[in-house]
Amino acid sequence: MSIRLPRLAALASSLLLAAGATLLGTGQAAAAQADFGYVALGDSYSSGVGAGNYDGASGNCKRSSRAYPALWAAAHSPQTFSFVACSGARTDDVLSGQLAPLNSGTDLVSITIGGNDAGFSDVMTTCVLQSESTCVSRVNEAKAYVDSTLPGRLDQVYDAIHGRAPGARVVVLGYPRFYKLNGNCVAGLTEGERTAINGASDYLNAAIAKRAADHGFAFASVAGSFTGHEICSGDAWLHSVNWLNITESYHPTAAGQSGGYLPVFTGKA
């Protein structure tokens, strides 16, 4: 059976239109990717303290090419990538010094913040140097701050992010639990201190997750991805206390960034 010319022409025309639509869709997708903007905010858990290979130009912020924001950007090639997370940052530091790259064209934002506001560094110093009862008391002080003051500080940061980048997907990442309980550590903190510190991490994460959800942001927990890789686990993705390089203590290693933080961020981004 032969196909008449008009029918053949119509078929050819349909094929050409379909091919054109496919090419147009591919081009639009490529254009959308080319226009994609990502901004990485936050503290040392986002800047990559503990992962090494720091950008010398970042100074004391210690931004690492092995941190999860840099790893994600390397894998996905956004057109713009602004990496402004900084070691030691608190909520006030984000508000005063990290928001400039955000704008209406920003598509993705990541942030870890709140640990320094809650006094994480002082908690760990107290627990390492003083008694168990003093450690637990300091942990409880931090938890009281998380209840009374931190939510309002987080609200200010999240409101500011949304105001500057109203169309962005915002992923708020939490903090790991630091210790495997009844693990292989033979010295250092007591099990009571380790339990209190882990509990404080969970407490902080719950507060951050609640504020993120109330702002319509995604919360990415890393507690699960670090399970089995805590200090005292035998395969730790976190630095224990290091008196020769104290700033890296209790921060993720390069493996912690690539194996702990990156997968959960990728899953939410």
Side-chain angles (χ1 to χ4, degrees), residues 160-195:
I161 291 171
H162 179 71
R164 284 178 168 267
R169 177 164 180 77
V170 181
V171 180
V172 178
L173 296 97
Y175 300 94
R177 294 189 190 102
F178 296 102
Y179 290 100
K180 177 178 175 60
L181 300 180
N182 300 308
N184 61 9
C185 291
V186 295
L189 303 183
T190 67
E191 284 297 290
E193 290 170 327
R194 292 170 185 145
T195 299

PDB file of all heavy atoms in Angstrom, residues 160-195:
ATOM      1  N   ALA A 160      15.740  37.440  56.217  1.00  0.00           N
ATOM      2  CA  ALA A 160      16.630  38.217  55.351  1.00  0.00           C
ATOM      3  C   ALA A 160      16.962  37.447  54.075  1.00  0.00           C
ATOM      4  O   ALA A 160      17.011  38.030  52.981  1.00  0.00           O
ATOM      5  CB  ALA A 160      17.903  38.575  56.101  1.00  0.00           C
ATOM      6  N   ILE A 161      17.191  36.153  54.185  1.00  0.00           N
ATOM      7  CA  ILE A 161      17.474  35.340  53.003  1.00  0.00           C
ATOM      8  C   ILE A 161      16.281  35.367  52.062  1.00  0.00           C
ATOM      9  O   ILE A 161      16.424  35.587  50.847  1.00  0.00           O
ATOM     10  CB  ILE A 161      17.815  33.896  53.412  1.00  0.00           C
ATOM     11  CG1 ILE A 161      19.161  33.846  54.129  1.00  0.00           C
ATOM     12  CG2 ILE A 161      17.843  32.980  52.177  1.00  0.00           C
ATOM     13  CD1 ILE A 161      19.479  32.495  54.751  1.00  0.00           C
ATOM     14  N   HIS A 162      15.094  35.147  52.607  1.00  0.00           N
ATOM     15  CA  HIS A 162      13.892  35.145  51.755  1.00  0.00           C
ATOM     16  C   HIS A 162      13.653  36.518  51.134  1.00  0.00           C
ATOM     17  O   HIS A 162      13.250  36.618  49.967  1.00  0.00           O
ATOM     18  CB  HIS A 162      12.675  34.728  52.569  1.00  0.00           C
ATOM     19  CG  HIS A 162      11.408  34.726  51.770  1.00  0.00           C
ATOM     20  ND1 HIS A 162      11.138  33.787  50.791  1.00  0.00           N
ATOM     21  CD2 HIS A 162      10.344  35.586  51.765  1.00  0.00           C
ATOM     22  CE1 HIS A 162       9.965  34.044  50.241  1.00  0.00           C
ATOM     23  NE2 HIS A 162       9.464  35.128  50.810  1.00  0.00           N
ATOM     24  N   GLY A 163      13.914  37.574  51.887  1.00  0.00           N
ATOM     25  CA  GLY A 163      13.700  38.911  51.354  1.00  0.00           C
ATOM     26  C   GLY A 163      14.605  39.233  50.176  1.00  0.00           C
ATOM     27  O   GLY A 163      14.196  39.896  49.226  1.00  0.00           O
ATOM     28  N   ARG A 164      15.833  38.756  50.231  1.00  0.00           N
ATOM     29  CA  ARG A 164      16.791  39.039  49.165  1.00  0.00           C
ATOM     30  C   ARG A 164      16.684  38.060  47.996  1.00  0.00           C
ATOM     31  O   ARG A 164      17.000  38.414  46.866  1.00  0.00           O
ATOM     32  CB  ARG A 164      18.216  39.003  49.712  1.00  0.00           C
ATOM     33  CG  ARG A 164      18.606  40.229  50.516  1.00  0.00           C
ATOM     34  CD  ARG A 164      20.019  40.100  51.055  1.00  0.00           C
ATOM     35  NE  ARG A 164      20.522  41.338  51.588  1.00  0.00           N
ATOM     36  CZ  ARG A 164      21.234  42.233  50.906  1.00  0.00           C
ATOM     37  NH1 ARG A 164      21.519  42.011  49.639  1.00  0.00           N
ATOM     38  NH2 ARG A 164      21.671  43.340  51.484  1.00  0.00           N
ATOM     39  N   ALA A 165      16.299  36.826  48.292  1.00  0.00           N
ATOM     40  CA  ALA A 165      16.235  35.792  47.249  1.00  0.00           C
ATOM     41  C   ALA A 165      14.907  35.049  47.364  1.00  0.00           C
ATOM     42  O   ALA A 165      14.868  33.875  47.759  1.00  0.00           O
ATOM     43  CB  ALA A 165      17.410  34.832  47.379  1.00  0.00           C
ATOM     44  N   PRO A 166      13.809  35.724  47.040  1.00  0.00           N
ATOM     45  CA  PRO A 166      12.485  35.148  47.298  1.00  0.00           C
ATOM     46  C   PRO A 166      12.177  33.886  46.498  1.00  0.00           C
ATOM     47  O   PRO A 166      11.325  33.098  46.902  1.00  0.00           O
ATOM     48  CB  PRO A 166      11.529  36.279  46.920  1.00  0.00           C
ATOM     49  CG  PRO A 166      12.311  37.146  45.979  1.00  0.00           C
ATOM     50  CD  PRO A 166      13.728  37.075  46.447  1.00  0.00           C
ATOM     51  N   GLY A 167      12.866  33.682  45.382  1.00  0.00           N
ATOM     52  CA  GLY A 167      12.598  32.506  44.569  1.00  0.00           C
ATOM     53  C   GLY A 167      13.544  31.348  44.812  1.00  0.00           C
ATOM     54  O   GLY A 167      13.423  30.301  44.162  1.00  0.00           O
ATOM     55  N   ALA A 168      14.468  31.501  45.741  1.00  0.00           N
ATOM     56  CA  ALA A 168      15.495  30.479  45.941  1.00  0.00           C
ATOM     57  C   ALA A 168      14.978  29.302  46.758  1.00  0.00           C
ATOM     58  O   ALA A 168      14.130  29.456  47.637  1.00  0.00           O
ATOM     59  CB  ALA A 168      16.706  31.089  46.645  1.00  0.00           C
ATOM     60  N   ARG A 169      15.505  28.133  46.462  1.00  0.00           N
ATOM     61  CA  ARG A 169      15.331  26.979  47.335  1.00  0.00           C
ATOM     62  C   ARG A 169      16.415  27.093  48.404  1.00  0.00           C
ATOM     63  O   ARG A 169      17.602  27.196  48.087  1.00  0.00           O
ATOM     64  CB  ARG A 169      15.470  25.670  46.580  1.00  0.00           C
ATOM     65  CG  ARG A 169      15.352  24.435  47.493  1.00  0.00           C
ATOM     66  CD  ARG A 169      15.110  23.160  46.739  1.00  0.00           C
ATOM     67  NE  ARG A 169      15.005  21.995  47.603  1.00  0.00           N
ATOM     68  CZ  ARG A 169      13.940  21.675  48.321  1.00  0.00           C
ATOM     69  NH1 ARG A 169      12.871  22.463  48.282  1.00  0.00           N
ATOM     70  NH2 ARG A 169      13.909  20.577  49.069  1.00  0.00           N
ATOM     71  N   VAL A 170      16.004  27.074  49.659  1.00  0.00           N
ATOM     72  CA  VAL A 170      16.937  27.237  50.770  1.00  0.00           C
ATOM     73  C   VAL A 170      17.036  25.916  51.530  1.00  0.00           C
ATOM     74  O   VAL A 170      16.023  25.377  51.982  1.00  0.00           O
ATOM     75  CB  VAL A 170      16.493  28.366  51.718  1.00  0.00           C
ATOM     76  CG1 VAL A 170      17.504  28.530  52.861  1.00  0.00           C
ATOM     77  CG2 VAL A 170      16.337  29.679  50.952  1.00  0.00           C
ATOM     78  N   VAL A 171      18.257  25.416  51.637  1.00  0.00           N
ATOM     79  CA  VAL A 171      18.506  24.171  52.360  1.00  0.00           C
ATOM     80  C   VAL A 171      19.298  24.510  53.615  1.00  0.00           C
ATOM     81  O   VAL A 171      20.425  25.009  53.542  1.00  0.00           O
ATOM     82  CB  VAL A 171      19.282  23.154  51.498  1.00  0.00           C
ATOM     83  CG1 VAL A 171      19.512  21.864  52.296  1.00  0.00           C
ATOM     84  CG2 VAL A 171      18.527  22.861  50.201  1.00  0.00           C
ATOM     85  N   VAL A 172      18.694  24.257  54.763  1.00  0.00           N
ATOM     86  CA  VAL A 172      19.324  24.479  56.061  1.00  0.00           C
ATOM     87  C   VAL A 172      19.851  23.134  56.545  1.00  0.00           C
ATOM     88  O   VAL A 172      19.089  22.182  56.713  1.00  0.00           O
ATOM     89  CB  VAL A 172      18.318  25.051  57.069  1.00  0.00           C
ATOM     90  CG1 VAL A 172      18.980  25.243  58.439  1.00  0.00           C
ATOM     91  CG2 VAL A 172      17.733  26.368  56.561  1.00  0.00           C
ATOM     92  N   LEU A 173      21.152  23.047  56.759  1.00  0.00           N
ATOM     93  CA  LEU A 173      21.753  21.790  57.203  1.00  0.00           C
ATOM     94  C   LEU A 173      22.032  21.828  58.697  1.00  0.00           C
ATOM     95  O   LEU A 173      22.337  22.881  59.260  1.00  0.00           O
ATOM     96  CB  LEU A 173      23.047  21.510  56.440  1.00  0.00           C
ATOM     97  CG  LEU A 173      22.878  21.302  54.933  1.00  0.00           C
ATOM     98  CD1 LEU A 173      23.168  22.600  54.173  1.00  0.00           C
ATOM     99  CD2 LEU A 173      23.780  20.190  54.416  1.00  0.00           C
ATOM    100  N   GLY A 174      21.930  20.660  59.328  1.00  0.00           N
ATOM    101  CA  GLY A 174      22.165  20.562  60.752  1.00  0.00           C
ATOM    102  C   GLY A 174      23.597  20.169  61.074  1.00  0.00           C
ATOM    103  O   GLY A 174      24.498  20.220  60.227  1.00  0.00           O
ATOM    104  N   TYR A 175      23.793  19.755  62.306  1.00  0.00           N
ATOM    105  CA  TYR A 175      25.108  19.378  62.817  1.00  0.00           C
ATOM    106  C   TYR A 175      25.114  17.897  63.183  1.00  0.00           C
ATOM    107  O   TYR A 175      24.087  17.341  63.570  1.00  0.00           O
ATOM    108  CB  TYR A 175      25.452  20.217  64.039  1.00  0.00           C
ATOM    109  CG  TYR A 175      25.507  21.703  63.773  1.00  0.00           C
ATOM    110  CD1 TYR A 175      24.383  22.514  63.986  1.00  0.00           C
ATOM    111  CD2 TYR A 175      26.663  22.306  63.292  1.00  0.00           C
ATOM    112  CE1 TYR A 175      24.418  23.877  63.740  1.00  0.00           C
ATOM    113  CE2 TYR A 175      26.713  23.672  63.038  1.00  0.00           C
ATOM    114  CZ  TYR A 175      25.585  24.451  63.259  1.00  0.00           C
ATOM    115  OH  TYR A 175      25.626  25.807  63.006  1.00  0.00           O
ATOM    116  N   PRO A 176      26.265  17.238  63.100  1.00  0.00           N
ATOM    117  CA  PRO A 176      26.320  15.814  63.465  1.00  0.00           C
ATOM    118  C   PRO A 176      26.323  15.593  64.971  1.00  0.00           C
ATOM    119  O   PRO A 176      26.619  16.499  65.742  1.00  0.00           O
ATOM    120  CB  PRO A 176      27.660  15.360  62.859  1.00  0.00           C
ATOM    121  CG  PRO A 176      28.498  16.602  62.836  1.00  0.00           C
ATOM    122  CD  PRO A 176      27.553  17.748  62.597  1.00  0.00           C
ATOM    123  N   ARG A 177      25.965  14.381  65.372  1.00  0.00           N
ATOM    124  CA  ARG A 177      26.285  13.948  66.735  1.00  0.00           C
ATOM    125  C   ARG A 177      27.784  13.661  66.760  1.00  0.00           C
ATOM    126  O   ARG A 177      28.333  13.114  65.814  1.00  0.00           O
ATOM    127  CB  ARG A 177      25.513  12.689  67.107  1.00  0.00           C
ATOM    128  CG  ARG A 177      24.015  12.882  67.189  1.00  0.00           C
ATOM    129  CD  ARG A 177      23.348  11.653  67.773  1.00  0.00           C
ATOM    130  NE  ARG A 177      21.904  11.730  67.628  1.00  0.00           N
ATOM    131  CZ  ARG A 177      21.212  11.079  66.702  1.00  0.00           C
ATOM    132  NH1 ARG A 177      21.839  10.276  65.855  1.00  0.00           N
ATOM    133  NH2 ARG A 177      19.908  11.218  66.636  1.00  0.00           N
ATOM    134  N   PHE A 178      28.429  13.979  67.871  1.00  0.00           N
ATOM    135  CA  PHE A 178      29.889  13.922  67.880  1.00  0.00           C
ATOM    136  C   PHE A 178      30.462  12.589  68.334  1.00  0.00           C
ATOM    137  O   PHE A 178      31.563  12.216  67.907  1.00  0.00           O
ATOM    138  CB  PHE A 178      30.437  15.051  68.757  1.00  0.00           C
ATOM    139  CG  PHE A 178      30.115  16.411  68.207  1.00  0.00           C
ATOM    140  CD1 PHE A 178      29.079  17.162  68.747  1.00  0.00           C
ATOM    141  CD2 PHE A 178      30.818  16.913  67.134  1.00  0.00           C
ATOM    142  CE1 PHE A 178      28.763  18.401  68.215  1.00  0.00           C
ATOM    143  CE2 PHE A 178      30.509  18.156  66.597  1.00  0.00           C
ATOM    144  CZ  PHE A 178      29.478  18.893  67.140  1.00  0.00           C
ATOM    145  N   TYR A 179      29.732  11.863  69.165  1.00  0.00           N
ATOM    146  CA  TYR A 179      30.326  10.672  69.778  1.00  0.00           C
ATOM    147  C   TYR A 179      29.503   9.412  69.530  1.00  0.00           C
ATOM    148  O   TYR A 179      28.271   9.442  69.593  1.00  0.00           O
ATOM    149  CB  TYR A 179      30.458  10.864  71.293  1.00  0.00           C
ATOM    150  CG  TYR A 179      31.519  11.881  71.656  1.00  0.00           C
ATOM    151  CD1 TYR A 179      31.166  13.188  71.983  1.00  0.00           C
ATOM    152  CD2 TYR A 179      32.864  11.536  71.663  1.00  0.00           C
ATOM    153  CE1 TYR A 179      32.133  14.126  72.306  1.00  0.00           C
ATOM    154  CE2 TYR A 179      33.840  12.473  71.987  1.00  0.00           C
ATOM    155  CZ  TYR A 179      33.471  13.754  72.309  1.00  0.00           C
ATOM    156  OH  TYR A 179      34.425  14.673  72.623  1.00  0.00           O
ATOM    157  N   LYS A 180      30.230   8.337  69.273  1.00  0.00           N
ATOM    158  CA  LYS A 180      29.628   7.015  69.343  1.00  0.00           C
ATOM    159  C   LYS A 180      29.694   6.575  70.801  1.00  0.00           C
ATOM    160  O   LYS A 180      30.786   6.459  71.371  1.00  0.00           O
ATOM    161  CB  LYS A 180      30.373   6.013  68.462  1.00  0.00           C
ATOM    162  CG  LYS A 180      29.824   4.585  68.559  1.00  0.00           C
ATOM    163  CD  LYS A 180      30.565   3.657  67.632  1.00  0.00           C
ATOM    164  CE  LYS A 180      30.109   2.213  67.826  1.00  0.00           C
ATOM    165  NZ  LYS A 180      28.666   2.046  67.547  1.00  0.00           N
ATOM    166  N   LEU A 181      28.558   6.366  71.398  1.00  0.00           N
ATOM    167  CA  LEU A 181      28.534   5.991  72.810  1.00  0.00           C
ATOM    168  C   LEU A 181      28.974   4.542  72.977  1.00  0.00           C
ATOM    169  O   LEU A 181      28.692   3.691  72.126  1.00  0.00           O
ATOM    170  CB  LEU A 181      27.131   6.193  73.372  1.00  0.00           C
ATOM    171  CG  LEU A 181      26.612   7.642  73.299  1.00  0.00           C
ATOM    172  CD1 LEU A 181      25.211   7.731  73.875  1.00  0.00           C
ATOM    173  CD2 LEU A 181      27.555   8.618  74.010  1.00  0.00           C
ATOM    174  N   ASN A 182      29.680   4.296  74.056  1.00  0.00           N
ATOM    175  CA  ASN A 182      30.250   2.971  74.325  1.00  0.00           C
ATOM    176  C   ASN A 182      31.143   2.507  73.167  1.00  0.00           C
ATOM    177  O   ASN A 182      31.179   1.327  72.812  1.00  0.00           O
ATOM    178  CB  ASN A 182      29.142   1.943  74.579  1.00  0.00           C
ATOM    179  CG  ASN A 182      28.292   2.316  75.773  1.00  0.00           C
ATOM    180  OD1 ASN A 182      28.810   2.583  76.858  1.00  0.00           O
ATOM    181  ND2 ASN A 182      26.974   2.355  75.579  1.00  0.00           N
ATOM    182  N   GLY A 183      31.843   3.490  72.606  1.00  0.00           N
ATOM    183  CA  GLY A 183      32.732   3.200  71.481  1.00  0.00           C
ATOM    184  C   GLY A 183      34.109   2.781  71.937  1.00  0.00           C
ATOM    185  O   GLY A 183      34.290   2.279  73.052  1.00  0.00           O
ATOM    186  N   ASN A 184      35.096   3.025  71.057  1.00  0.00           N
ATOM    187  CA  ASN A 184      36.435   2.493  71.324  1.00  0.00           C
ATOM    188  C   ASN A 184      37.383   3.509  71.956  1.00  0.00           C
ATOM    189  O   ASN A 184      38.576   3.245  72.051  1.00  0.00           O
ATOM    190  CB  ASN A 184      37.045   1.940  70.031  1.00  0.00           C
ATOM    191  CG  ASN A 184      37.207   3.008  68.956  1.00  0.00           C
ATOM    192  OD1 ASN A 184      37.023   4.199  69.222  1.00  0.00           O
ATOM    193  ND2 ASN A 184      37.538   2.592  67.740  1.00  0.00           N
ATOM    194  N   CYS A 185      36.865   4.666  72.402  1.00  0.00           N
ATOM    195  CA  CYS A 185      37.733   5.634  73.080  1.00  0.00           C
ATOM    196  C   CYS A 185      38.075   5.115  74.476  1.00  0.00           C
ATOM    197  O   CYS A 185      37.189   4.673  75.216  1.00  0.00           O
ATOM    198  CB  CYS A 185      37.043   6.990  73.200  1.00  0.00           C
ATOM    199  SG  CYS A 185      36.840   7.848  71.624  1.00  0.00           S
ATOM    200  N   VAL A 186      39.337   5.191  74.829  1.00  0.00           N
ATOM    201  CA  VAL A 186      39.779   4.689  76.136  1.00  0.00           C
ATOM    202  C   VAL A 186      40.158   5.835  77.072  1.00  0.00           C
ATOM    203  O   VAL A 186      40.513   5.596  78.222  1.00  0.00           O
ATOM    204  CB  VAL A 186      40.974   3.721  75.988  1.00  0.00           C
ATOM    205  CG1 VAL A 186      40.552   2.478  75.238  1.00  0.00           C
ATOM    206  CG2 VAL A 186      42.153   4.408  75.297  1.00  0.00           C
ATOM    207  N   ALA A 187      40.092   7.053  76.594  1.00  0.00           N
ATOM    208  CA  ALA A 187      40.439   8.207  77.424  1.00  0.00           C
ATOM    209  C   ALA A 187      39.572   9.380  76.979  1.00  0.00           C
ATOM    210  O   ALA A 187      38.770   9.268  76.056  1.00  0.00           O
ATOM    211  CB  ALA A 187      41.926   8.550  77.284  1.00  0.00           C
ATOM    212  N   GLY A 188      39.753  10.511  77.643  1.00  0.00           N
ATOM    213  CA  GLY A 188      39.019  11.699  77.252  1.00  0.00           C
ATOM    214  C   GLY A 188      37.759  11.878  78.074  1.00  0.00           C
ATOM    215  O   GLY A 188      37.739  11.622  79.282  1.00  0.00           O
ATOM    216  N   LEU A 189      36.683  12.279  77.438  1.00  0.00           N
ATOM    217  CA  LEU A 189      35.442  12.579  78.136  1.00  0.00           C
ATOM    218  C   LEU A 189      34.807  11.324  78.720  1.00  0.00           C
ATOM    219  O   LEU A 189      35.034  10.210  78.253  1.00  0.00           O
ATOM    220  CB  LEU A 189      34.449  13.244  77.171  1.00  0.00           C
ATOM    221  CG  LEU A 189      34.903  14.532  76.481  1.00  0.00           C
ATOM    222  CD1 LEU A 189      33.772  15.089  75.636  1.00  0.00           C
ATOM    223  CD2 LEU A 189      35.361  15.566  77.497  1.00  0.00           C
ATOM    224  N   THR A 190      33.981  11.532  79.734  1.00  0.00           N
ATOM    225  CA  THR A 190      33.208  10.427  80.288  1.00  0.00           C
ATOM    226  C   THR A 190      32.020  10.125  79.378  1.00  0.00           C
ATOM    227  O   THR A 190      31.628  10.942  78.534  1.00  0.00           O
ATOM    228  CB  THR A 190      32.676  10.789  81.679  1.00  0.00           C
ATOM    229  OG1 THR A 190      31.703  11.842  81.552  1.00  0.00           O
ATOM    230  CG2 THR A 190      33.794  11.244  82.604  1.00  0.00           C
ATOM    231  N   GLU A 191      31.425   8.955  79.553  1.00  0.00           N
ATOM    232  CA  GLU A 191      30.230   8.619  78.767  1.00  0.00           C
ATOM    233  C   GLU A 191      29.089   9.581  79.072  1.00  0.00           C
ATOM    234  O   GLU A 191      28.289   9.900  78.196  1.00  0.00           O
ATOM    235  CB  GLU A 191      29.796   7.177  79.038  1.00  0.00           C
ATOM    236  CG  GLU A 191      30.659   6.147  78.343  1.00  0.00           C
ATOM    237  CD  GLU A 191      30.584   6.259  76.837  1.00  0.00           C
ATOM    238  OE1 GLU A 191      29.536   5.930  76.248  1.00  0.00           O
ATOM    239  OE2 GLU A 191      31.593   6.688  76.224  1.00  0.00           O
ATOM    240  N   GLY A 192      29.028  10.042  80.332  1.00  0.00           N
ATOM    241  CA  GLY A 192      28.008  11.020  80.684  1.00  0.00           C
ATOM    242  C   GLY A 192      28.175  12.324  79.920  1.00  0.00           C
ATOM    243  O   GLY A 192      27.190  12.925  79.467  1.00  0.00           O
ATOM    244  N   GLU A 193      29.417  12.758  79.773  1.00  0.00           N
ATOM    245  CA  GLU A 193      29.679  13.984  79.018  1.00  0.00           C
ATOM    246  C   GLU A 193      29.362  13.788  77.543  1.00  0.00           C
ATOM    247  O   GLU A 193      28.756  14.657  76.899  1.00  0.00           O
ATOM    248  CB  GLU A 193      31.142  14.391  79.201  1.00  0.00           C
ATOM    249  CG  GLU A 193      31.451  14.901  80.611  1.00  0.00           C
ATOM    250  CD  GLU A 193      32.923  15.079  80.871  1.00  0.00           C
ATOM    251  OE1 GLU A 193      33.735  14.298  80.319  1.00  0.00           O
ATOM    252  OE2 GLU A 193      33.284  16.003  81.625  1.00  0.00           O
ATOM    253  N   ARG A 194      29.766  12.648  76.996  1.00  0.00           N
ATOM    254  CA  ARG A 194      29.481  12.377  75.590  1.00  0.00           C
ATOM    255  C   ARG A 194      27.976  12.314  75.326  1.00  0.00           C
ATOM    256  O   ARG A 194      27.479  12.820  74.312  1.00  0.00           O
ATOM    257  CB  ARG A 194      30.165  11.076  75.160  1.00  0.00           C
ATOM    258  CG  ARG A 194      31.681  11.180  75.134  1.00  0.00           C
ATOM    259  CD  ARG A 194      32.336   9.828  74.933  1.00  0.00           C
ATOM    260  NE  ARG A 194      33.792   9.939  75.040  1.00  0.00           N
ATOM    261  CZ  ARG A 194      34.592   9.015  75.553  1.00  0.00           C
ATOM    262  NH1 ARG A 194      34.080   7.866  76.021  1.00  0.00           N
ATOM    263  NH2 ARG A 194      35.896   9.201  75.613  1.00  0.00           N
ATOM    264  N   THR A 195      27.269  11.714  76.249  1.00  0.00           N
ATOM    265  CA  THR A 195      25.811  11.630  76.113  1.00  0.00           C
ATOM    266  C   THR A 195      25.186  13.021  76.146  1.00  0.00           C
ATOM    267  O   THR A 195      24.287  13.335  75.350  1.00  0.00           O
ATOM    268  CB  THR A 195      25.226  10.759  77.242  1.00  0.00           C
ATOM    269  OG1 THR A 195      25.766   9.441  77.153  1.00  0.00           O
ATOM    270  CG2 THR A 195      23.712  10.689  77.146  1.00  0.00           C
TER     271      THR A 195
END
